[in-house]
Amino acid sequence: MQRNYARGYDPEIKSADITSESSFEGFRKQRRLLIAGGASAVGLGIAAASRLSSYFTSPDTVHAQTLTSTPGKFNTSENQTPYAKATSFNNYYEFGTDKSDPAKHAGTLKTRPWTVQVTGMVKTQKTLDIDTILKHRPLESRIYRHRCVEAWSMVIPWDGYSLSEFINLCEPLPSAKFVQFVTLVDKKQMPDLPFGYDWPYSEGLRLDEAMNPLALLTFGCYGKVLPNQNGAPIRVVMPWKYGFKNAKSIVRFHFTDKQPHTTWNEINSSEYGFYSNVNPKVDHPRWTQARERRIDNSLLPHYIPTQMFNGYADQVAGLYNGMDLKRYY
Amino acid sequence: MQKQTIILLKAVTHILCLLPLLSLYRFYSSGALALNSDPINFITHFTGNWALWILLASLAITPIRRISVRISWLIRFRRLIGLYAFFYATLHLATYLFLFSGYDVVAVLDGLRAGHPAVIFEQFRQVWPYIWDDVMKRRFVQVGFLAWLILLALAATSPAAIMRAMGGKNWQRLHRFVYLAAAAAVIHYWWLVKTGVLSPWKDTAILAVLLLARVGYVLLKKRSVSTTKVVAAR
């Protein structure tokens, strides 16, 4: 049988089998849509995976300068939190609200030159250079328990000297009853500064609390200069209080006769009191304070019971004699 | 849409939905989880975030498919994605029950190896007061639990046979509770973050857009129906 192929005619192809031009177009469109859909799904997957990969990056090793310090009193012999954990899990909201943010972003903080102002009810207002303050007294290494209000805790060796020695240098007037710690705020050094907060971050103590020998003016940890995310170049550590009391990167010590405004207390006074002493009997509205997740070198942090005044009752309970600690939490 | 293509796309969806879990496993197996300071918190946030994101993805299907009839086949992925939202929500709840509560998984595994299966319950008896305390006292726990219960009901009634047995209308009435679950999940997030922390705003905005798209669609349809009526009356 002769076939007429001249115009593409093949009698064995039934007309029903021929794809019409319009439906072919339709198929092509659908195929395009499918490819586009598949490609965007894969794209989203890759984007999500790359975001996830940021979780995997371990914190940069900080080549910090070492500090010379001698072992101090009040040391705990509990297992220390590894340096890598204590320097990659921080609440320093000026550098971002996630606990991994400060380690990533605090590199922009300039800790030299740095001056600290002494203002308010003092004999003479003055501005001190950080290195003057650093050399004022020999540094001690103090291994303290650190209890965050968020119910996790660490054991950290801090390097510094008693805050009382610095306060004596400031020469407060007898009328001064409180000391306020005002910390650095600088949009240039803190490009991630979250809005909605009344910066600068401010904390404070009653003067007799600040004079307690446990209160530490801190310049280092683990025998090294403080990493930026841990509050370089100068901070305070009061181990019997929740961690947020320990103001970081302080630029001003202000002496006053009135209870100073303190940041978290002002944001939500029902959750964060002015005193904020560690107290297992007063719950945070969103969780119990009766126990804490201790962060050390085990894979899963274990729960341990929280102690009154974080275990420093012998040193500090006397400061609060006669006070209703359920009311003054 | 060809059946084969749907099957292929469903396989892709399964893989995409399992990627987060896989990455969590990689995070653990690479040792990165051990370096993380608060792995329990990390796993809790990780599973919670993905439960919410996948739930929002399942809610995005209806408004997106309404854009064009040509993509109406997207509806065939809604149940699958919704079930993955329940899957991650369940992992989130399990993380809370077996890690966050203080349940000592390591002690339980040691006990099991030593041949003391009762350790499973002993551990639970120890942490139970904390869980009960949370459920009774803390509203962010309550609202999160509500969201999970709704998702559980929806997942349990998701097979086609149950849908037929329930009747389409009843089934739809029940499954509209997914909006409540999504709202509860977002509120759960707002109530658990500190005052001033705005991280849930993105999820809130996405949910608002998805819900408004539905309201807009209903209004638009009503208007077009009434216009048709007017035309018919003439």
Side-chain angles (χ1 to χ4, degrees):
Chain A
M1 196 184 135
Q2 257 306 169
R3 282 180 183 175
N4 183 358
Y5 293 112
R7 296 177 66 206
Y9 173 75
D10 183 343
E12 284 181 5
I13 299 175
K14 294 187 216 85
S15 72
D17 291 340
I18 300 173
T19 311
S20 77
E21 208 170 296
S22 65
S23 67
F24 179 65
E25 272 304 298
F27 168 71
R28 269 181 31 177
K29 269 187 197 157
Q30 211 174 37
R31 190 176 56 182
R32 237 178 285 149
L33 201 70
L34 204 74
I35 292 169
S40 43
V42 170
L44 275 175
I46 291 170
S50 68
R51 269 207 69 177
L52 285 173
S53 74
S54 71
Y55 289 127
F56 303 139
T57 50
S58 51
D60 295 338
T61 339
V62 188
H63 301 287
Q65 279 173 273
T66 51
L67 285 173
T68 326
S69 56
T70 51
K73 36 206 168 174
F74 318 118
N75 282 357
T76 170
S77 56
E78 289 158 86
N79 277 341
Q80 283 180 28
T81 301
Y83 180 77
K85 288 186 181 179
T87 55
S88 64
F89 190 77
N90 311 93
N91 278 320
Y92 195 159
Y93 275 30
E94 286 87 333
F95 291 107
T97 54
D98 192 275
K99 269 176 272 294
S100 63
D101 284 339
K104 286 180 208 149
H105 304 315
T108 48
L109 178 70
K110 282 197 191 71
T111 57
R112 291 293 187 287
W114 189 281
T115 55
V116 174
Q117 285 179 285
V118 177
T119 60
M121 297 175 162
V122 285
K123 213 162 149 194
T124 39
Q125 319 245 345
K126 52 191 155 196
T127 303
L128 296 167
D129 187 74
I130 181 68
D131 291 308
T132 312
I133 305 172
L134 183 61
K135 284 171 196 137
H136 176 58
R137 298 291 303 150
L139 303 186
E140 272 176 53
S141 164
R142 296 199 192 170
I143 307 167
Y144 279 164
R145 286 179 288 273
H146 174 83
R147 171 65 158 80
C148 180
V149 72
E150 297 165 343
W152 52 266
S153 66
M154 295 183 174
V155 174
I156 301 174
W158 301 107
D159 302 282
Y161 56 78
S162 277
L163 180 60
S164 62
E165 314 219 42
F166 177 71
I167 289 177
N168 289 335
L169 178 73
C170 296
E171 298 176 293
L173 299 174
S175 51
K177 294 285 173 280
F178 294 91
V179 56
Q180 182 185 19
F181 315 114
V182 182
T183 73
L184 181 75
V185 57
D186 180 3
K187 193 85 182 94
K188 267 187 239 141
Q189 296 180 61
M190 300 162 166
D192 301 294
L193 195 73
F195 63 92
Y197 294 87
D198 186 17
W199 304 115
Y201 190 83
S202 163
E203 261 306 335
L205 297 172
R206 239 170 41 198
L207 207 51
D208 59 335
E209 296 181 295
M211 293 302 285
N212 187 280
L214 270 183
L216 190 70
L217 189 67
T218 306
F219 307 92
C221 61
Y222 297 85
K224 294 171 189 155
V225 168
L226 278 175
N228 290 353
Q229 63 269 30
N230 291 69
I234 178 170
R235 68 174 297 178
V236 284
V237 173
M238 283 75 69
W240 72 95
K241 289 177 179 283
Y242 292 122
F244 69 90
K245 293 295 290 181
N246 303 337
K248 292 170 166 171
S249 310
I250 299 170
V251 292
R252 189 154 72 95
F253 288 80
H254 184 69
F255 293 85
T256 156
D257 57 354
K258 283 180 209 73
Q259 184 176 307
H261 107 92
T262 56
T263 301
W264 280 110
N265 180 236
E266 206 140 285
I267 292 171
N268 194 337
S269 60
S270 73
E271 296 191 354
Y272 315 100
F274 171 77
Y275 286 95
S276 282
N277 293 318
V278 175
N279 188 343
K281 280 179 240 133
V282 177
D283 277 357
H284 184 278
R286 284 175 284 142
W287 52 80
T288 173
Q289 297 291 33
R291 57 181 192 164
E292 61 202 49
R293 290 194 303 286
R294 173 58 59 81
I295 295 167
D296 54 21
N297 40 22
S298 56
L299 170 60
L300 293 176
H302 41 272
Y303 279 92
I304 55 171
T306 293
Q307 305 175 67
M308 189 65 204
F309 296 117
N310 204 21
Y312 298 100
D314 287 350
Q315 287 81 30
V316 299
L319 291 167
Y320 311 101
N321 276 342
M323 275 174 72
D324 178 4
L325 295 177
K326 281 212 156 75
R327 195 171 152 219
Y328 297 100
Y329 51 83
Chain B
M1 175 83 19
Q2 273 180 359
K3 206 174 170 184
Q4 270 174 327
T5 328
I6 292 276
I7 291 170
L8 186 78
L9 280 178
K10 279 201 172 168
V12 171
T13 312
H14 275 290
I15 291 168
L16 285 179
C17 288
L18 284 169
L19 270 182
L21 185 63
L22 190 77
S23 75
L24 184 62
Y25 177 74
R26 212 187 98 190
F27 192 63
Y28 161 76
S29 62
S30 69
L33 190 70
L35 291 177
N36 191 286
S37 299
D38 201 350
I40 294 179
N41 223 19
F42 175 84
I43 299 169
T44 310
H45 289 173
F46 185 92
T47 51
N49 276 336
W50 280 103
L52 180 54
W53 294 336
I54 295 175
L55 185 61
L56 291 175
S58 77
L59 284 174
I61 286 185
T62 296
I64 289 175
R65 82 179 179 93
R66 278 171 178 162
I67 293 169
S68 160
V69 267
R70 282 200 315 247
I71 48 172
S72 60
W73 49 266
L74 275 174
I75 193 73
R76 294 160 81 169
F77 294 83
R78 195 173 61 178
R79 177 175 65 183
L80 179 63
I81 296 173
L83 282 171
Y84 268 108
F86 172 66
F87 174 69
Y88 280 97
T90 306
L91 286 179
H92 183 58
L93 178 65
T95 311
Y96 168 78
L97 288 177
F98 296 106
L99 291 173
F100 208 93
S101 66
Y103 192 92
D104 196 337
V105 181
V106 181
V108 169
L109 290 178
D110 286 346
L112 285 179
R113 257 181 240 122
H116 304 297
V119 72
I120 297 173
F121 306 103
E122 274 161 26
Q123 271 297 323
F124 199 66
R125 221 181 41 226
Q126 278 182 32
V127 298
W128 174 247
Y130 291 104
I131 296 172
W132 186 245
D133 202 44
D134 270 353
V135 172
M136 295 314 285
K137 275 195 205 156
R138 308 193 212 284
R139 56 182 194 166
F140 84 96
V141 174
Q142 294 160 348
V143 78
F145 193 58
L146 172 75
W148 181 79
L149 283 178
I150 294 172
L151 293 183
L152 173 69
L154 305 194
T157 56
S158 68
I162 293 179
M163 183 181 169
R164 272 193 298 274
M166 284 178 73
K169 265 266 150 62
N170 281 332
W171 187 87
Q172 200 175 28
R173 259 182 223 137
L174 174 66
H175 280 247
R176 288 229 165 96
F177 275 94
V178 72
Y179 303 129
L180 184 62
V186 167
I187 292 169
H188 169 66
Y189 196 177
W190 277 113
W191 279 351
L192 77 89
V193 296
K194 275 187 215 167
T195 325
V197 174
L198 304 172
S199 53
W201 79 267
K202 280 181 201 161
D203 309 73
T204 314
I206 292 169
L207 179 64
V209 167
L210 295 177
L211 295 183
L212 284 174
R214 286 168 166 83
V215 174
Y217 179 78
V218 169
L219 290 179
L220 214 70
K221 222 168 81 174
K222 251 192 197 157
R223 216 177 62 184
S224 70
V225 168
S226 60
T227 338
T228 333
K229 269 187 197 152
V230 172
V231 172
R234 273 182 198 162

